[in-house]
Amino acid sequence: MLIRSRREFLRDAIRTVSAAGALGAFSKFGEINAFAAGSSYQALVCIFMTGGNDGHNTVVPINTAQQGFNLYQSARQGMGLAVNSLLPIYNGSDEYGLHPDLPEIQSLYNAGHAAVLANVGMLVKPIDRTLYNTNNTSIIPNALFSHSDQASQWQTSIPTGLGNTGWGGRMADLMQSSNSGASFPAATSMSGSSLFLTGQNTFAANVPGGSATLLNTVNSARAAGLQQLLTFDNGLQLVQQANDTLSRGISYANALSGALAGATLQTPFPLIGVDGSPNLLAAQLQTVARIIKVRSALGLSRQIFYCNLDGFDTHGSQLSIQASLLQQLSQAVMAFYEATSELGVDQDVTTFTASEFGRTLTPNGSGGTDHAWGNHHFVIGSSVQGGRFYGQFPLLSLGGQYDATTRGSLIPTTSVDQYGATLAQWFGVGQGNLATIFPYIGNFPTANLGILT
């Protein structure tokens, strides 16, 4: 449901009380977000693959100028996929292969509606193997191979520490005038509280993906009593802040429940996989599509969504686990793209994948791989200049120029800041405002990778 837990109430209250003195610094948002006024609808949908997806078996070089498949096969040992099982895609004259459980994404790529962003990861500044091995901590992201730290850094774009707002939330802060008068927030998480969507003055809604029932207290006797309790001034600022959060949740729930009443889709979603297990990502994306359908009733012209697909921490049994997860991803993404086409917003909705890090090329001896660094990701939508790769696909040579270790831990050649800034500019953020959202973007040679039109 949309009401947050007591712990989340207190966290938000503490953050708001402690940040009260800093809110004035964000008054400039009223000036710099004027670009969004009167603009047409746009939405970003983040799919976070929690645990660290193995990009090496997601996008495989076959016939490339870099002797791709031979190096891949040599390094992967028993973790490698057979070349005849891969789904071919092309980047110019170079041939690559997608994991065999990504046929829907292959179809979107070949139709020009999906692109591959190669070897992206957290960076403070551009770095190579030589610089990495100097052990200069000022140019290397903190706690590089830690799940929690890297997930936080991915979602905040702060590689040198722990940020308290996410770049999705900071974008939503800039959209406030665009969504002026809306009855529902611009930021919506389908998977609990999300650091990615936390802004300085943006409160994201938490919507249970795929749930048929949303909290609705309209015309309820209990609602009247609850409202009296929430509006009672007990003089305790912390408690009152928690009450405000609860009131906000109820307001969001009622607005969304009313708008979604009767809002159906013709596009079928694969809510149950071929093995009979639920496709939780498909359920989340189906709910995203329904919320997009009622955007006008909610008064929204800009939206940012966060979805989660968990289970990618594959230290063992990787081949079977990843196959199942990628099948869920591929089927859910295709259904969602078709739903946006049904709604006539496929040009206006861009979906992108993220994960805290990639995995090692070499296996670990337990049927899995270990935490690494750079990774490959997908960007999907009709505004994507698809059917091609962006960034620099690395040479898969153990101990080579792209390997931070000797196990194939890819040194990213594209930063998360560049990835996010490219999406942000398509979303409407002016180039002069990018540093507000991505503080390290000035360290990189380009802030727009050209993926989107």
Side-chain angles (χ1 to χ4, degrees), residues 43-49 105 113-115 117 120 154-155 167-168 171 196-197 281 285 303-308 329 333 336 349-355 376-381 384 416 419-424 426-427 438 451-452:
L44 288 170
V45 182
C46 174
I47 299 175
F48 202 89
M49 298 185 287
I105 289 181
H113 303 315
L117 177 55
V120 61
W154 247 97
Q155 295 185 37
W167 54 271
M171 279 198 288
F196 173 70
L197 294 180
L281 179 61
L285 289 174
Q303 289 184 278
I304 307 173
F305 296 92
Y306 175 85
C307 300
N308 181 266
L329 173 72
V333 162
F336 182 67
V349 178
T350 295
T351 303
F352 63 99
T353 64
S355 194
H376 312 312
H377 288 288
F378 299 112
V379 186
I380 302 105
V384 175
V416 172
Y419 189 14
T422 299
L423 295 164
W426 173 82
F427 200 54
F438 305 99
I451 302 173
L452 295 153

Side-chain angles (χ1 to χ4, degrees), residues 141-367:
N142 287 359
L144 191 55
F145 304 116
S146 158
H147 280 295
S148 59
D149 291 276
Q150 290 307 297
S152 171
Q153 290 175 31
W154 247 97
Q155 295 185 37
T156 63
S157 78
I158 306 296
T160 56
L162 298 177
N164 60 5
T165 63
W167 54 271
R170 296 195 291 272
M171 279 198 288
D173 283 337
L174 292 176
M175 297 294 120
Q176 286 189 340
S177 67
S178 177
N179 292 322
S180 178
S183 59
F184 197 73
T188 307
S189 173
M190 315 307 296
S191 183
S193 182
S194 164
L195 178 59
F196 173 70
L197 294 180
T198 300
Q200 185 67 43
N201 43 13
T202 288
F203 297 91
N206 297 329
V207 178
S211 174
T213 304
L214 296 171
L215 177 66
N216 192 332
T217 59
V218 174
N219 297 324
S220 166
R222 291 181 179 179
L226 177 60
Q227 195 61 41
Q228 284 185 328
L229 289 173
L230 293 175
T231 55
F232 175 71
D233 187 359
N234 55 27
L236 298 176
Q237 188 176 16
L238 187 62
V239 173
Q240 191 58 49
Q241 190 64 51
N243 288 347
D244 291 344
T245 301
L246 181 56
S247 295
R248 204 164 36 242
I250 293 173
S251 174
Y252 293 166
N254 288 334
L256 186 58
S257 295
L260 286 179
T264 59
L265 297 168
Q266 295 181 0
T267 302
F269 277 75
L271 302 179
I272 302 297
V274 294
D275 61 353
S277 61
N279 186 331
L280 299 180
L281 179 61
Q284 293 175 56
L285 289 174
Q286 183 184 53
T287 304
V288 170
R290 292 183 66 209
I291 294 173
I292 289 174
K293 182 172 183 176
V294 299
R295 63 196 182 278
S296 296
L298 296 172
L300 293 166
S301 62
R302 289 290 191 280
Q303 289 184 278
I304 307 173
F305 296 92
Y306 175 85
C307 300
N308 181 266
L309 180 59
D310 199 356
F312 287 96
D313 192 19
T314 49
H315 291 282
S317 305
Q318 177 176 300
L319 290 176
S320 60
I321 292 173
Q322 190 190 31
S324 174
L325 291 170
L326 292 183
Q327 182 182 71
Q328 293 179 56
L329 173 72
S330 187
Q331 292 178 354
V333 162
M334 174 60 89
F336 182 67
Y337 176 79
E338 290 175 342
T340 62
S341 296
E342 173 193 332
L343 298 174
V345 293
D346 51 291
Q347 290 278 352
D348 308 315
V349 178
T350 295
T351 303
F352 63 99
T353 64
S355 194
E356 60 261 47
F357 43 57
R359 306 194 77 82
T360 55
L361 255 173
T362 60
N364 58 16
S366 300

Side-chain angles (χ1 to χ4, degrees), residues 4-181:
R4 296 182 174 187
S5 68
R6 178 180 177 86
R7 179 178 296 176
E8 290 170 324
F9 297 164
L10 294 175
R11 183 204 64 193
D12 285 344
I14 292 169
R15 188 180 72 238
T16 302
V17 170
S18 64
L23 288 178
F26 286 82
S27 62
K28 61 183 179 180
F29 286 164
E31 302 171 7
I32 63 180
N33 68 3
F35 63 83
S39 56
S40 60
Y41 179 77
Q42 285 182 292
L44 288 170
V45 182
C46 174
I47 299 175
F48 202 89
M49 298 185 287
T50 300
N53 177 48
D54 184 348
H56 296 303
N57 276 7
T58 303
V59 183
V60 181
I62 298 178
N63 293 319
T64 74
Q66 300 179 329
Q67 301 177 348
F69 191 77
N70 290 337
L71 290 174
Y72 161 84
Q73 193 174 44
S74 174
R76 291 257 84 177
Q77 302 170 32
M79 197 58 60
L81 302 174
V83 68
N84 59 5
S85 73
L86 299 172
L87 306 175
I89 59 173
Y90 293 86
N91 180 41
S93 60
D94 287 344
E95 182 182 9
Y96 293 80
L98 295 181
H99 189 282
D101 285 287
L102 295 173
E104 294 83 5
I105 289 181
Q106 178 200 32
S107 177
L108 288 167
Y109 181 95
N110 290 336
H113 303 315
V116 173
L117 177 55
N119 197 22
V120 61
M122 284 307 306
L123 288 171
V124 176
K125 59 184 291 187
I127 191 172
D128 57 21
R129 180 179 170 85
T130 301
L131 284 172
Y132 174 80
N133 285 323
T134 64
N135 293 318
N136 182 347
T137 57
S138 69
I139 61 173
I140 299 173
N142 287 359
L144 191 55
F145 304 116
S146 158
H147 280 295
S148 59
D149 291 276
Q150 290 307 297
S152 171
Q153 290 175 31
W154 247 97
Q155 295 185 37
T156 63
S157 78
I158 306 296
T160 56
L162 298 177
N164 60 5
T165 63
W167 54 271
R170 296 195 291 272
M171 279 198 288
D173 283 337
L174 292 176
M175 297 294 120
Q176 286 189 340
S177 67
S178 177
N179 292 322
S180 178

Side-chain angles (χ1 to χ4, degrees), residues 387-417:
R388 55 178 292 192
F389 283 44
Y390 294 84
Q392 184 176 357
F393 201 91
L395 183 71
L396 302 183
S397 177
L398 297 180
Q401 68 184 103
Y402 297 99
D403 187 0
T405 60
T406 58
R407 296 191 56 200
S409 298
L410 297 181
I411 299 171
T413 45
T414 297
S415 72
V416 172
D417 288 55

